[in-house]
Amino acid sequence: MKFETRAIHEGEEPNFKEGGAGDAVIPIHLSSTFGRKEVDVPTQGYEYSRTQNPTRKALEQKLASLENANYGLAFSSGMAAETTVLLSLLKTGDHIIAFDDLYGGTRRLFDKIFHQNFNIQISYVDARNLKEIENSITKNTKLIWLESPTNPLLKICDIAAISEIGKKHSIHVIVDNTFMSPYFQNPLNLGADIVLHSTTKYLNGHSDSVGGCVMLNDKENYEKIKFAQNAAGAILSPFDSYLVSRGIKTLALRMKKHEENASKISHYLQKQKKVLKINYPGLESHPEFKLAKKQMSGFGGMISFELDSDIIGTKKFVENLKYFLIAESLGGVESLIEIPSMMTHAAIPKSDRDKIGLKDNLIRISVGIENIDDLLEDLEQAFNP
Ligand SMILES: *Cc1c(COP(=O)(O)O)cnc(C)c1O
């Protein structure tokens, strides 16, 4: 089956057996516990809903198929997915190499919990530079943690080349693929060991559910993470599992439209005198444009740009827009806009923001799937008030 077909059918085989009604859509199984006829035989493997639930299981199967993975696991948030992976694969004293331009919440989890409380060491590097990664490897390095493109600067690293380095040193490479969604990029196919998503974003796609997921091929790591999913308990609820499963059915259509609109907006921004710099992987001016074309099958719907203004002018520009909702998050059908230095990345110290080039006048847009003419007209009135 091709991607669009799997997104719709995988995990949702209609049940035509005795007692089944042939549902076209997986039912929402709200039961917290599952009865059995014989004391030592759980009914079709189900015992208790934290351990496994039929609605979540259907979603996990669908998620695995989207990343061409053997296994998928669904969690109550992207951060819960990250926490469970870290708890499963690390011991006190271990070392992580991470891209220095990461989702703000990931850095907070690394620094304020895993480093401070459990003595996990973290080296933040510019992962576009393979030498920096190799030079940071120690005998305790267990994970290389990547985003590509990064948030909010849309930097791109070579996932295949970094996966080679990981293999050579027996270090797991994990890619947070939230920004591209499985429609535009499949890190496991490029050699990565584990893929992670915040399903809150493109996978669910409608800004009405918080969740996360992990997909992988290795059975041993799957069993470790699955064990921790049950032991720590940060599972996705049956209702949210249904919502994400429903959202995924239109992922391909949505991603195409997100990209089409983002591409048009990026070209519009290029013509604006008040725009100093645009970060969008689909522009030939992007420093990793060639690599983006090679490792992704599209460029996605996220854009960031620097306005020729101070923080007050930047704030005013954003507040003058009508259709771009000022909000954190991304990946929903509606266009969202934000200022990372004041919102999503405000918790990162200014000195660290300066180091990676995240300026106060940077604006991030999650381009929605509204009519492009309305979006362009709105930007036009904000540039020319
Ligand atoms: C939102 C996000 C997360 C965290 O996911 P939640 O569902 O908000 O917990 C992690 N990584 C990236 C890239 C994100 O955008």
Side-chain angles (χ1 to χ4, degrees):
M1 282 191 282
K2 298 279 197 291
F3 187 93
E4 293 83 348
T5 317
R6 279 182 273 136
I8 292 166
H9 293 289
E10 192 70 54
E12 299 196 77
E13 278 289 300
N15 181 2
F16 296 121
K17 284 185 296 215
E18 176 103 34
D23 302 70
V25 173
I26 181 78
I28 306 172
H29 291 261
L30 293 172
S31 235
S32 57
T33 189
F34 303 95
R36 53 182 89 177
K37 286 231 167 98
E38 288 174 62
V39 170
D40 51 354
V41 187
T43 308
Q44 299 190 46
Y46 295 105
E47 304 170 15
Y48 184 65
S49 193
R50 167 163 32 76
T51 316
Q52 192 51 283
N53 170 285
T55 314
R56 192 174 90 231
K57 191 175 181 188
L59 171 67
E60 288 178 337
Q61 192 180 326
K62 198 187 283 294
L63 288 166
S65 91
L66 297 184
E67 288 284 10
N68 307 310
N70 291 336
Y71 307 105
L73 291 158
F75 297 88
S76 53
S77 68
M79 297 319 301
E82 295 188 15
T83 302
T84 308
V85 167
L86 295 168
L87 289 174
S88 311
L89 302 182
L90 297 181
K91 290 191 312 299
T92 295
D94 282 346
H95 176 241
I96 305 175
I97 298 171
F99 207 154
D100 59 11
D101 181 28
L102 286 185
Y103 177 70
T106 303
R107 253 187 113 127
R108 180 174 57 196
L109 178 71
F110 284 0
D111 295 343
K112 304 284 181 207
I113 298 191
F114 281 91
H115 177 65
Q116 276 186 16
N117 297 356
F118 302 103
N119 192 33
I120 300 294
Q121 304 301 312
I122 301 128
S123 302
Y124 292 106
V125 303
D126 186 340
R128 293 173 299 179
N129 182 345
L130 300 178
K131 278 268 162 342
E132 269 197 47
I133 294 187
E134 292 216 86
N135 291 341
S136 307
I137 294 173
T138 72
K139 66 178 193 322
N140 294 329
T141 308
K142 293 285 156 57
L143 286 179
I144 300 174
W145 192 288
L146 304 172
E147 282 179 29
S148 183
T150 59
N151 175 15
L153 294 167
L154 286 308
K155 296 174 186 171
I156 291 177
C157 64
D158 190 334
I159 296 172
I162 296 168
S163 299
E164 285 287 316
I165 295 173
K167 287 220 166 52
K168 202 166 86 193
H169 297 271
S170 302
I171 300 167
H172 295 315
V173 172
I174 171 159
V175 179
D176 180 338
N177 200 25
T178 302
F179 264 41
M180 276 300 107
S181 91
Y183 185 67
F184 283 138
Q185 177 168 270
N186 297 120
L188 298 180
N189 292 4
L190 298 167
D193 299 289
I194 299 173
V195 180
L196 184 145
H197 290 268
S198 165
T199 60
T200 315
K201 316 296 167 54
Y202 288 109
L203 282 166
N204 181 61
H206 295 73
S207 307
D208 54 8
S209 160
V210 173
C213 65
V214 171
M215 294 86 131
L216 73 171
N217 286 320
D218 182 70
K219 185 156 191 270
E220 198 180 319
N221 282 340
Y222 165 70
E223 275 165 5
K224 281 186 194 169
I225 301 169
K226 166 95 187 137
F227 179 85
Q229 182 195 38
N230 180 47
I235 45 149
L236 193 65
S237 77
F239 185 68
D240 286 287
S241 297
Y242 156 75
L243 281 178
V244 177
S245 181
R246 173 177 159 124
I248 286 172
K249 292 173 196 188
T250 55
L251 181 66
L253 285 175
R254 286 187 283 110
M255 291 316 294
K256 275 187 213 152
K257 189 68 181 172
H258 282 298
E259 179 181 59
E260 187 189 315
N261 282 355
S263 171
K264 285 182 181 156
I265 288 178
S266 73
H267 287 110
Y268 168 82
L269 291 173
Q270 269 188 324
K271 287 185 269 168
Q272 300 307 311
K273 281 201 269 327
K274 288 180 206 155
V275 172
L276 297 176
K277 184 174 181 234
I278 310 167
N279 305 307
Y280 184 63
L283 291 177
E284 278 183 51
S285 56
H286 189 288
E288 291 94 45
F289 175 68
K290 276 214 187 90
L291 175 60
K293 259 175 79 164
K294 194 175 86 180
Q295 79 181 5
M296 293 142 47
S297 58
F299 303 110
M302 297 300 297
I303 301 175
S304 63
F305 64 97
E306 287 170 18
L307 199 65
D308 187 6
S309 186
D310 55 8
I311 187 67
I312 294 165
T314 306
K315 203 168 158 282
K316 206 160 158 199
F317 174 84
V318 164
E319 288 170 356
N320 274 342
L321 289 160
K322 288 183 299 193
Y323 302 135
F324 294 80
L325 181 67
I326 303 172
E328 303 198 354
S329 198
L330 59 109
V333 290
E334 58 286 286
S335 292
L336 302 181
I337 197 158
E338 65 120 1
I339 302 175
S341 65
M342 298 179 78
M343 297 172 64
T344 49
H345 292 65
I348 298 174
K350 175 142 175 66
S351 58
D352 286 343
R353 293 205 303 263
D354 289 344
K355 230 183 277 167
I356 60 169
L358 199 173
K359 304 213 173 117
D360 287 348
N361 59 348
L362 186 82
I363 294 171
R364 187 187 83 177
I365 305 182
S366 169
V367 180
I369 62 172
E370 297 94 339
N371 188 294
I372 187 64
D373 295 342
D374 290 331
L375 296 180
L376 291 176
E377 188 192 300
D378 196 13
L379 287 168
E380 185 72 11
Q381 64 82 23
F383 276 115
N384 309 288

